[in-house]
């Protein structure tokens, strides 16, 4: 038997970074370590105390380096794995999380002359202050009859690359001018690790209007946004895009010292957390939708053709797995709605017991429809298929005998209905969804929720074997970066065959419950369209009034 | 100075009875005593253990007598007032609360041969099991082109007299046959006190389709319901109706012994709790609406003409005060919605503090519109103006930062919007509402709610001086039963001048808040009409499904 070989995945999340060491033959996860970012999400004040406007969300890139310094040696030490047995390293990141750097790759925010300027910092994916720029991008694209919005469900998001870039230019032209590079966190980190700047296809495709065939969006369009943006791709980005199975380079001496890995260890190009979860969950063909279920839900799906699916987040050729069109959609609220309920509402003194477990135990006793309630799951707006952050939650049907478990169940059902809208929308545009696969924090904990998802969607649901699919997916791409010659794999599909899998548990839909949820789903759709498609825009008007009244406080 | 004279009011509520002794010159409330009914609301099983179907609500008439036996001597004793200084006695009751008796007035449920039959007991106002009969009454009235429904906002309620009578006939014809009298609790108690059967105009008018000019509903109509009902008025009721200022008779020897009052003490005809609150709050003219605010809200209003106001509970000439048309409307949920919220939801460990106070203190800091929420106050259905018990609650606009005080405030606002609908509906039909007056449990406790009512309605609100207006109103009619010759008053208006009043506190609308609530009220109305007038009947369908799924439980 040959000596065991390992790959390392490092997952850079919203609040923390995680290193995971995986046996590349068996997929066994031999060690993991987490580093909580010292500065976390910077959304109120900069580290120097300067207050931030509403809707801002930043990160400190020093936290990414610190993750490498702390978590990587930790997994080597706890596992006893030798650096020479680590064949490759992959990293995955939230996205679009981007930053301005100088020509050497040093983040502007780490330079004393810029650290007081909020625009010099990393703009985290959930930085929502670039809405005006996103609105203008959409309006100008429509005016000009651009076709690229079809690849993004019709709308470019305020979370994405050019919205954020343009906000920097609008509000801090001096930062824009000083930025030699504007770069995704994933690519910045691969650069730090290897000393070589690369740009990965996933973030370029889903966030920066890049297409394998068409290339980047045209300079004419960029100039129409702002003449100063005309040459931004050539001036501050990189026109050459790396495919997902490519190697960014070998680990530098400096980073080898910092991490304890050997210099020259192959490093994969930067990856995105949701997207690498697909191979990590063993999904390798069309028809199977992966749901990454946590605070929010990402829906990932492979297709054989490119279709203009209304309200999806995007479709990118080779963007998830080579040889397929990768579709992404999402729900902007899921676990965070249930967390809101528990945080805000739970009435009982639970004596330390977990309120989610208590509510689930009671909610499980109810039949579909027995709560008398129906909710719209828009506490955090709607990502797909309405793409409207100004929508809000609705709960209907309450009576004097309505209980907390009733409401908890109705919230779960509403989230499942939201996923069903997304599934049926894909199918309407010719992208079949036959089976569901789930990963992330929620499926682990909430078995009632999983059964309700199966009953509502009428589809069976498998669970990814790994509880940390992002880090595993990164490790799989790390093994592919090594290549077979380097002790790894030549293709991500080979890695899937060895390193990924699903559990024995399968949630299968209960026919009678599915029928009743069919009735309720029709009711959900009617409310969805009434409040989401212009029947009554009361939610938006209430948001405007709320902002006005909060703003008018002395 | 002449010797002080007193009148006694006894208020028969849903859970308890209350005696109140009042100085008739000053209105000073010198003593009060409460008796909690031993059997309370009988809604699960009869006292013998026999289970009741859903929606039933009964009472035990022995509890009424026990109230007299306990509470009346208690106020005499605690005040030291001599029986000869009590000039008169008035009683008020919930309504329609009715019972079958034999010819002597003995309730059938107190006779051994009938006590096992649920239909022999007192049907409490909130007994809701006669909905099929109410539906048939409305359908047949419409078929026949009856005009009387115009006096009831267009719809006869399942809570009212003939719905309940017909349910007895439908389900227990043997009880119907054995009942020599079918009588309101108020009239039954006056009969017990005086030995003389009377029927008061208020309950006859508002509940039993009686009108001063037209008399009772026609025998043809009653025969159309069921041939056996054709002569029910002459067979089991009384065609002679007593005006509110009339005396039912003098206290019998037996009742004098039971209560400690002197025999012959003048007793007023039976009264209704909400209606006697009007003079007790000092309201004596059109334009002032009295809101009796507790679990639910009753809206009482005087008019100079009879108009067919859609969705009101009823209009009865002389039904509240002589010389006026008395209008009644209502909201079926108010304090009970806030109580539901606190019972079901309050998250914090309050360490024994009152959750309503805590929530109010936080909710008070918010401006109109600042919650971002909008609710429909239909947790217990809608009494006016939609008259639909199958509607349910709605809460819209929730986001992840929505807090319990936000929701508490939105619920209060929704109740105020419900009242504004009622006010504007009266005005649309030509009945002006210029000022509001409030009494009951809520105005005492919830000052934020009162200010929001003023801001939402754009009208100033005065508070009744008395905290127990029903019992005071009953006592005022007791003083009128005595007459001036008997040491009391010849008219209820004289009693109002002496015994009733309002507090110094006035809630006046804040112009800017009123303007913002105007915006929100338009939003409320749009939801109100969409979900209440057929735009989307989802609430009713959810109720049907809920009942079906509950019923199907093994």
């Amino acid at each position: 038997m040959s000596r065991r070989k390992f790959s390392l995945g490092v997952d850079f999340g919203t609040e923390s970074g995680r290193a995971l060491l995986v046996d590349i033959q068996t997929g066994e996860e031999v060690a993991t370590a987490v580093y909580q970012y010292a500065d976390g999400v910077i959304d109120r004040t900069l580290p120097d105390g300067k207050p931030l406007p509403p809707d801002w969300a930043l990160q400190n890139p020093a936290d990414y380096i610190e993750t490498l310094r702390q978590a990587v040696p930790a997994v080597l030490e706890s596992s006893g794995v030798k650096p020479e047995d680590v064949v490759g390293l992959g990293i995955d990141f939230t996205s679009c999380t981007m930053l301005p750097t100088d020509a050497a790759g040093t983040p502007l925010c780490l330079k004393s002359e810029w650290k007081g300027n909020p625009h010099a910092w990393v703009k985290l994916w959930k930085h929502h202050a670039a809405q005006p720029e996103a609105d203008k991008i959409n309006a100008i694209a429509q005016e000009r009859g651009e076709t690229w919005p079809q690849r993004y469900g019709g709308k470019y998001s305020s979370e994405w690359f050019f919205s954020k870039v343009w906000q920097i230019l609008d509000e801090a032209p001096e930062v824009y001018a000083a930025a030699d590079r504007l770069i995704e966190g994933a690519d910045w980190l691969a650069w730090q690790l290897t000393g070589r700047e690369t740009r990965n296809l996933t973030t370029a495709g889903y966030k920066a209007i890049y297409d394998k065939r068409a290339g980047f969006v045209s300079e004419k369009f960029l100039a129409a946004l702002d003449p100063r943006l005309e040459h931004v791709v050539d001036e501050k980005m990189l026109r050459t895009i790396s495919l997902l199975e490519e190697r960014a380079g070998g680990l530098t001496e400096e980073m080898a010292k910092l991490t304890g890995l050997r210099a020259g260890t192959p490093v994969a190009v930067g990856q995105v957390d949701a997207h690498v979860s697909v191979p990590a969950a063993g999904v390798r063909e069309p028809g199977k939708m992966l749901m990454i279920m946590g605070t929010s839900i990402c829906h990932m799906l492979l297709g054989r053709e490119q279709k203009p699916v209304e309200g999806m987040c995007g479709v990118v050729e080779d963007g998830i797995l080579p040889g397929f069109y990768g579709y992404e959609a999402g729900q902007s609220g899921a676990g965070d709605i249930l967390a809101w309920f528990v945080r805000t509402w739970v009435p009982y003194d639970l004596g330390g017991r977990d309120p989610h477990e208590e509510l689930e135990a009671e909610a499980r006793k109810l039949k579909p429809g027995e709560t008398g309630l129906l909710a719209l799951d828009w506490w955090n707006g709607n990502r797909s298929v309405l793409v409207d952050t100004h929508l809000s939650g609705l709960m209907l049907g309450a009576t004097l005998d309505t209980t907390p478990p009733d409401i908890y169940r109705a919230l779960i059902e509403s989230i499942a209905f939201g996923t069903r809208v997304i599934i049926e929308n894909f199918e309407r545009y010719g992208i079949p969804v036959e089976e569901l696969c789930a990963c992330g924090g929620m499926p682990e904990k909430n078995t009632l929720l999983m059964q309700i998802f199966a009953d509502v969607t009428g589809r069976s649901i498998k669970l990814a074997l790994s509880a940390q699919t992002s880090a595993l997916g990164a490790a799989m791409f790390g093994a592919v970066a090594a290549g077979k010659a380097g002790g790894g794999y030549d293709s991500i599909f080979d890695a899937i065959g060895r390193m990924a899998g699903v559990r024995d548990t399968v949630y299968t839909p209960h026919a009678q419950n599915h029928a009743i949820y069919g009735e309720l789903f029709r009711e959900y759709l009617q409310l969805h369209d009434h409040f989401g498609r212009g029947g009554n825009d009361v939610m938006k008007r209430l948001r405007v009034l709320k902002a006005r009244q909060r703003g008018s406080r002395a």
Side-chain angles (χ1 to χ4, degrees), chain A:
Chain A
M1 192 177 139
S2 67
R3 192 183 173 103
R4 289 174 81 191
K5 295 289 178 188
F6 302 88
S7 176
L8 187 69
V10 191
D11 167 51
F12 294 85
T14 301
E15 300 283 355
S16 62
R18 168 188 299 273
L20 177 70
L21 196 62
V22 188
D23 181 319
I24 67 167
Q25 285 295 324
T26 63
E28 185 195 344
E29 299 177 354
V30 297
T32 187
V34 172
Y35 171 71
Q36 289 289 332
Y37 300 154
D39 282 337
V41 176
I42 302 168
D43 54 5
R44 292 172 182 273
T45 59
L46 286 186
D48 71 2
K50 187 192 298 263
L52 293 172
D55 296 328
W56 277 60
L58 307 177
Q59 281 185 332
N60 185 346
D63 276 329
Y64 310 146
I65 301 300
E66 203 56 27
T67 298
L68 295 172
R69 191 197 313 276
Q70 306 247 1
V72 179
V75 294
L76 291 175
E77 191 183 329
S78 73
S79 65
V81 168
K82 302 231 161 10
E84 56 268 33
D85 293 325
V86 179
V87 301
L89 166 64
I91 54 168
D92 72 275
F93 233 85
T94 61
S95 172
C96 168
T97 292
M98 57 79 71
L99 67 160
T101 76
D102 65 17
T106 304
L108 295 191
C109 63
L110 299 185
K111 300 176 80 155
S112 58
E113 64 269 42
W114 293 111
K115 68 178 183 190
N117 191 317
H119 281 290
W121 293 73
V122 179
K123 287 192 166 60
L124 185 58
W125 65 276
K126 64 178 179 175
H127 173 90
H128 285 141
Q131 190 63 53
E133 284 77 12
D135 292 343
K136 286 187 287 178
I137 288 172
N138 285 310
I140 292 167
Q142 199 179 357
E143 260 171 45
R144 292 174 44 89
E146 297 278 337
T147 57
W148 62 259
Q150 290 181 6
R151 302 201 308 268
Y152 302 94
K155 266 191 202 169
Y156 193 77
S157 164
S158 71
E159 291 184 0
W160 296 347
F161 194 76
F162 287 116
S163 300
K164 284 170 168 158
V165 166
W166 198 4
Q167 194 199 0
I168 296 175
L169 178 60
D170 271 345
E171 299 179 8
E174 68 285 10
V175 171
Y176 183 82
D180 285 293
R181 312 316 276 160
L182 293 165
I183 189 165
E184 282 274 351
D187 292 326
W188 177 77
L189 206 63
W191 186 5
Q192 296 302 299
L193 287 166
T194 63
R196 176 179 165 239
E197 181 187 359
T198 52
R199 303 286 179 138
N200 76 83
L201 176 63
T202 304
T203 55
Y206 288 95
K207 316 294 175 179
I209 325 185
Y210 172 85
D211 177 69
K212 203 176 137 184
R213 293 162 202 258
F216 277 102
V217 67
S218 72
E219 294 198 325
K220 277 189 185 156
F221 174 73
L222 291 167
L225 300 183
D226 189 306
R228 294 169 293 175
L229 285 175
E230 181 172 4
H231 303 298
V232 64
V233 174
D234 289 322
E235 285 170 6
K236 297 176 191 288
M237 297 167 64
L238 201 63
R239 215 170 262 286
T240 310
I241 299 299
S242 301
L243 300 180
L244 295 186
E245 290 173 307
E246 285 182 32
R247 185 188 300 190
L251 199 66
T252 63
E253 290 285 352
E254 190 188 341
M255 278 293 167
K257 210 169 289 170
L258 184 110
T259 59
L261 295 170
R262 84 199 138 78
T265 302
V267 178
V269 296
Q271 311 278 348
V272 179
D273 48 9
H275 298 67
V276 295
S277 292
V278 174
V283 173
R284 51 185 300 165
E285 61 199 338
K288 285 187 190 174
M289 174 184 271
L290 177 67
M291 303 183 294
I292 302 143
M293 306 175 77
T295 312
S296 59
I297 302 181
C298 288
H299 302 80
M300 316 300 291
L301 183 63
L302 303 175
R304 299 204 189 277
E305 293 168 283
Q306 180 169 308
K307 308 262 187 173
V309 181
E310 183 207 350
M312 67 174 166
C313 303
V315 53
V316 174
E317 185 176 1
D318 298 341
I320 297 176
L321 286 177
F324 297 100
Y325 289 89
Y327 288 88
E328 182 185 352
Q331 282 172 269
S332 40
D336 58 359
I337 299 176
L338 301 180
W340 168 84
F341 177 71
V342 164
R343 182 177 74 237
T344 317
W345 297 98
V346 169
Y348 347 89
D349 177 2
L350 290 172
R353 285 166 296 148
D354 177 11
H356 286 282
E357 279 175 27
E358 297 288 316
L359 287 164
E360 184 181 315
E362 290 302 311
R364 189 183 296 282
K365 297 176 187 164
L366 300 166
K367 295 182 178 178
E370 197 178 341
T371 65
L373 299 173
L374 187 61
L376 290 175
D377 52 315
W378 300 346
W379 265 249
N380 201 20
N382 178 292
R383 190 178 300 159
S384 299
V385 299
L386 299 169
V387 199
D388 193 335
T389 56
H390 293 123
L391 297 174
S392 55
L394 177 146
M395 174 76 66
L396 179 151
T399 57
L400 295 175
D401 64 358
T402 296
T403 64
D406 286 334
I407 298 167
Y408 192 74
R409 184 174 178 114
L411 290 173
I412 290 174
E413 290 169 345
S414 75
I415 299 165
F417 291 142
T419 282
R420 182 162 166 182
V421 169
I422 288 168
I423 291 172
E424 298 198 349
N425 187 61
F426 273 121
E427 298 213 312
R428 186 173 308 120
Y429 285 92
I431 322 287
V433 182
E434 283 140 22
E435 192 183 283
L436 304 177
C437 184
C439 65
M442 284 179 91
E444 297 274 324
K445 289 181 235 160
N446 200 328
T447 60
L448 173 64
L449 177 138
M450 295 313 298
Q451 186 58 51
I452 289 175
F453 263 66
D455 289 346
V456 164
T457 62
R459 286 161 174 84
S460 63
I461 309 179
K462 292 180 178 156
L463 301 188
L465 194 57
S466 175
Q468 38 212 346
T469 45
S470 296
L472 173 60
M476 289 165 68
F477 277 104
V480 175
K484 196 169 177 186
Y489 299 108
D490 279 344
S491 127
I492 186 69
F493 296 101
D494 295 342
I496 293 173
R498 296 288 193 163
M499 298 173 73
V502 294
R503 305 184 187 192
D504 294 336
T505 321
V506 179
Y507 292 91
T508 52
H510 181 289
Q512 204 179 336
N513 289 353
H514 181 58
I516 289 164
Y517 279 132
E519 286 182 50
L520 283 169
F521 182 63
R522 281 194 296 280
E523 302 289 0
Y524 175 93
L525 273 186
Q526 208 173 328
L527 294 175
H528 176 279
D529 290 352
H530 183 70
F531 290 107
R533 298 195 194 271
N536 184 347
D537 283 336
V538 55
M539 290 171 179
K540 299 177 196 191
R541 291 190 295 270
L542 289 176
R543 287 226 190 213
V544 169
L545 180 60
K546 176 176 173 175
R548 199 174 88 205
Q549 288 296 81
R550 291 212 168 164
S552 73
R553 180 175 296 289

